[in-house]
């Protein structure tokens, strides 16, 4: 008993002296954040005991199913990601396969060559002039300025993951320094009674399930309208990734996103400075120089497999993307190339298959919009448009161990892909019935629902007024440096490719009325058997 009492007392003394030391240590004892996560490497652990869910497809004799093997698709997938790494090596600031850049054009050229090699003789690059300029940052820095009031030896910390958001203008004097204000999620409730004027606002972003779904879209712009001189979007994400997404920009004001480690540090020191009564001494310095590039040219890669009829089924995948763009959209483009090779070896289809490696929609320009404008024959000559986008992202979920400092559960990599939202614009019962086979017969993870919504690259095709369909998901690393090649397992590419080959074959064979007849049309399901 006395021993136990002694133990408790020792612990108490120890904890008092630790917290006393922390008070005097730099940054109130808060560990300074690690460097930015290496964008060449995965942030999640990909070498654990558990491999991705396997695929089990038996090749059919004489059908060239081997062209859709995971290993084949993965080779192309890595090649496509390689164009992004070329952009990184060239020193592009917003690197990747950004539309109209050399790395993007190389991606299109490579795709066209692959399609030609597969026997699609008319494979070609169709260029288009990009309306409007492309914003490009030249240099930037985000620093949290050291002050002895935050503990002895507090040095200025550079938030290395800080990434400027599109539109930010060059700061006239090079940099600006201001006090900070933390606004939570930036809702009206968070902002009630807060004075943002002259401050740099820090907003907490939850990528649930991704920046695409985040409730904090548009908040940064509102904060500037309310008087903030700059905004730091602190993303609650794994590692210390970089993010780029216009929905977190704030016009001409300097607006940045920071990754998980930097965001955590910043919020910790804001809280601790406030508790110590020295929040007024906490300053952040932002620097930014940028330019607008105009007169740019972008492109689509286009090729066809002639059918018995000239009426088309369009298969689209956007070729552009930010950072490595492993899932967005090297995954879709690799599957598109695989499907073109596969269908080139099949008997002629009933409808002409048109494969489009699109200039995308990440700006500048719009690939599908430009294609539709350049091809009036598509208006009455298209039966169906199928989009391949973000088709194989290994799911990153929360929940094995509770992290220190109550920041929630650790991030974990799942053996399955993220479930995807299936969209069929006209809600054709026939097409929906085909999608039912995705999970049952091909192991493709989808939501247990289908709707008419199709986000992503299909917007530019809307003027054609024909049925469009896709599955899509945007995960934790959407539009970030964490969307690496390793985030897309070969098995995921294979599942997506085999299902889409089935979908195209069935849609091609079907009567056109089954595709064009929308919601409510009587349709007898083909039942539970898999092909
Ligand atoms: Zn995207
Ligand atoms: Zn995309």
């Amino acid at each position: 008993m006395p021993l136990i009492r002694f133990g408790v007392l020792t612990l108490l003394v120890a904890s008092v002296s630790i917290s006393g030391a922390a008070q005097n240590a730099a940054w109130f004892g808060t560990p300074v954040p690690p460097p930015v996560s290496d964008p060449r490497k995965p942030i999640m652990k990909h070498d654990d005991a558990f491999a991705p869910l396997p695929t089990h497809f038996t090749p059919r004799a004489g059908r060239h199913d081997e062209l859709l093997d995971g290993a084949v698709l993965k080779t192309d997938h890595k090649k496509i990601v390689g164009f992004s790494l070329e952009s990184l090596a060239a020193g592009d600031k917003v690197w990747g396969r950004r539309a109209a850049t050399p790395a993007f054009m190389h991606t299109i050229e490579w795709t066209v060559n692959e399609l030609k090699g597969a026997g699609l003789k008319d494979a070609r690059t169709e260029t288009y002039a990009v309306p409007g300029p492309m914003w490009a940052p030249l240099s930037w820095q985000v620093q949290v300025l050291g002050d002895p009031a935050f503990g002895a030896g507090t040095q200025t910390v550079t938030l290395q993951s800080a990434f400027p958001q599109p539109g930010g203008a060059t700061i006239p004097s090079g940099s600006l320094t201001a006090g900070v204000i933390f606004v939570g999620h930036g809702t009206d409730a968070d902002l009630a009674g807060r004075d943002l004027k002259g401050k740099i606002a820090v907003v907490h972003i939850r990528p649930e399930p991704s920046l695409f779904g985040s409730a904090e879209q548009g908040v940064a712009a509102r904060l500037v309208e309310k008087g903030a001189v700059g905004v730091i979007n602190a993303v609650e994400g794994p590692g210390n990734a970089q993010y780029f997404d216009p929905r977190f920009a704030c016009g001409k004001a300097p607006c940045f996103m920071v990754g998980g480690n930097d965001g955590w540090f910043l919020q910790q020191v804001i809280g601790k400075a406030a508790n110590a009564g020295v929040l007024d001494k906490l300053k952040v310095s932002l620097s930014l120089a940028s330019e607008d590039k105009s007169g740019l040219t972008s492109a689509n890669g286009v090729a066809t497999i002639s059918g018995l009829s000239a009426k088309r089924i369009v298969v689209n995948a956007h070729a552009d993307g930010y950072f490595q763009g492993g899932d967005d959209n090297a995954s879709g483009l690799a599957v598109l190339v695989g499907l073109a090779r596969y269908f080139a070896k099949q008997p002629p289809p009933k409808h002409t298959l048109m494969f489009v490696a699109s200039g995308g929609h990440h700006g500048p320009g719009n690939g599908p919009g430009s294609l539709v404008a350049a091809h009036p024959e598509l208006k009455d000559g298209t039966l169906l448009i199928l989009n391949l986008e973000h088709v194989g992202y290994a799911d990153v979920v929360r929940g094995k161990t509770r992290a220190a400092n109550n920041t929630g559960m650790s991030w974990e990599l799942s053996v399955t892909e993220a479930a995807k939202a299936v969209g069929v614009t006209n809600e054709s019962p026939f097409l929906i019935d085909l999608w039912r086979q995705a999970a049952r017969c091909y192991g493709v993870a989808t939501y247990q629902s289908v709707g008419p919504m199709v986000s992503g690259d299909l917007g530019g095709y809307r003027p054609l007024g024909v049925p469009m369909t896709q599955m899509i998901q945007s995960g934790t690393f959407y539009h970030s440096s964490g969307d690496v090649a390793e985030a897309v397992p070969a098995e995921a590419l294979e599942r997506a490719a085999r299902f889409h080959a089935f979908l195209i074959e069935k849609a091609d064979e079907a009567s056109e009325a089954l595709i064009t007849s929308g919601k409510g049309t009587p349709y007898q399901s083909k039942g539970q058997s898999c092909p």
Side-chain angles (χ1 to χ4, degrees):
M1 197 61 176
L3 264 177
I4 290 169
R5 253 193 219 133
F6 176 72
V8 169
L9 191 66
T10 311
L11 274 176
L12 274 172
V13 171
S15 79
V16 166
S17 66
I18 285 167
S19 80
Q23 286 296 330
N24 294 324
W27 291 114
F28 311 99
T30 311
V32 296
V36 62
S37 297
D38 185 345
R40 295 170 193 82
K41 293 181 181 159
I43 288 173
M44 304 305 296
K45 204 161 149 238
H46 284 253
D47 59 353
D48 214 333
F50 302 103
L53 203 67
T55 53
H56 296 292
F57 297 105
T58 318
R60 300 163 297 175
R63 293 297 305 272
H64 298 280
D65 284 338
E66 71 282 358
L67 294 170
L68 302 180
D69 281 353
V72 176
L73 299 166
K74 191 64 193 175
T75 303
D76 289 335
H77 182 255
K78 283 186 189 154
K79 180 80 194 172
I80 296 161
V81 166
F83 295 113
S84 283
L85 296 173
E86 169 196 316
S87 162
L88 176 64
D92 293 343
K93 300 289 185 190
V94 178
W95 60 275
R97 300 180 300 279
R98 201 179 184 196
T101 64
F104 169 79
M105 294 307 245
H106 295 161
T107 311
I108 294 287
E109 281 162 26
W110 172 83
T111 306
V112 166
N113 279 334
E114 289 302 311
L115 298 181
K116 257 193 195 134
L120 284 67
K121 291 193 187 66
D122 67 345
R124 64 205 179 270
T125 298
E126 295 189 355
T127 57
Y128 54 89
V130 169
M134 176 172 84
W135 178 87
L138 299 166
S139 63
W140 68 88
Q141 193 166 57
V142 173
Q143 292 187 309
V144 192
L145 303 183
D147 188 298
F150 311 142
T154 297
Q155 303 283 320
T156 292
V157 168
T158 300
L159 302 181
Q160 284 192 28
S161 69
F163 208 78
Q165 299 306 301
T170 297
I171 299 173
S173 55
S175 69
L176 72 83
T177 299
V180 292
I181 182 166
F182 179 68
V183 299
H185 299 281
T187 65
D188 285 341
D190 289 312
L191 297 176
R194 312 297 303 279
D195 182 8
L196 308 183
K197 286 192 191 65
K199 300 254 176 59
I200 292 167
V202 178
V203 55
H204 187 98
I205 311 293
R206 299 192 77 182
E208 288 189 338
S210 72
L211 291 184
F212 181 79
S214 166
E216 293 84 15
Q217 285 187 5
V219 166
R222 272 189 74 216
L223 297 174
V224 167
E225 279 166 25
K226 288 179 176 291
V229 293
V231 176
I232 299 175
N233 297 281
V235 183
E236 185 186 320
N240 215 17
Q242 295 181 308
Y243 299 81
F244 188 69
D245 192 302
R247 292 160 287 203
F248 299 84
C250 45
K252 298 251 175 237
C255 202
F256 295 82
M257 295 184 89
V258 299
N261 297 135
D262 281 340
W264 181 82
F265 171 81
L266 184 57
Q267 290 167 71
Q268 285 290 306
V269 298
I270 290 171
K272 288 175 182 175
N275 286 344
V278 293
L279 184 56
D280 59 322
K281 291 191 190 303
L282 187 64
K283 309 275 187 217
V284 166
S285 171
L286 309 176
S287 70
L288 177 64
S290 69
E291 63 176 352
D292 284 319
K293 296 180 177 178
S294 46
L296 297 172
T297 299
S298 194
N300 294 310
V302 183
T304 56
I305 295 174
S306 294
L308 304 176
S309 126
K311 194 133 193 183
R312 290 165 189 220
I313 294 176
V314 176
V315 183
N316 178 84
H318 74 78
D320 65 331
Y322 302 136
F323 306 103
Q324 288 196 34
D327 188 43
D328 181 9
N329 187 32
S331 67
L333 187 58
V335 170
L336 178 129
V337 170
L339 289 172
R341 288 196 198 112
Y342 170 83
F343 280 104
K345 297 276 191 189
Q346 306 303 320
K350 213 166 95 186
H351 300 87
T352 292
L353 303 180
M354 182 182 195
F355 293 88
V356 182
S358 109
H361 55 275
H362 293 80
N366 185 293
S370 303
L371 183 90
V372 168
H375 291 272
E377 74 276 15
L378 290 176
K379 179 71 187 155
D380 295 314
T382 307
L383 174 65
L384 174 70
I385 302 165
L386 174 66
N387 186 35
L388 301 164
E389 191 166 350
H390 318 173
V391 298
Y393 174 74
D395 208 5
V396 175
V397 294
R398 295 194 83 151
K400 195 162 73 181
T401 50
R402 181 161 285 280
N405 304 299
N406 202 27
T407 53
M409 302 300 279
S410 59
W411 295 93
E412 305 293 336
L413 187 68
S414 169
V415 299
T416 58
E417 289 96 66
K420 289 159 279 280
V422 174
V424 178
T425 53
N426 67 342
E427 297 183 84
S428 146
F430 165 73
L431 290 174
I432 291 173
D433 200 50
L434 293 181
W435 277 107
R436 281 199 188 101
Q437 314 235 16
R440 197 170 61 229
C441 305
Y442 296 89
V444 174
T446 64
Y447 295 157
Q448 294 196 20
S449 64
V450 187
M453 271 281 299
V454 286
S455 58
D457 210 36
L458 284 174
Y461 287 109
R462 232 169 243 292
L464 295 180
V466 300
M468 305 194 285
T469 190
Q470 68 176 17
M471 64 178 192
I472 194 167
Q473 176 56 290
S474 47
T476 315
F477 289 118
Y478 172 71
H479 290 179
S480 88
S481 58
D483 183 11
V484 294
E486 291 86 344
V488 179
E491 293 84 350
L493 294 172
E494 180 168 339
R495 278 187 270 277
R498 294 200 190 281
F499 168 69
H500 281 95
F502 160 81
L503 181 77
I504 293 166
E505 276 163 4
K506 293 295 166 195
D508 181 54
E509 289 164 14
S511 79
E512 292 185 6
L514 281 176
I515 290 166
T516 54
S517 304
K519 194 174 182 173
T521 312
Y523 177 71
Q524 185 64 47
S525 170
K526 287 287 177 282
Q528 302 294 317
S529 67
C530 289

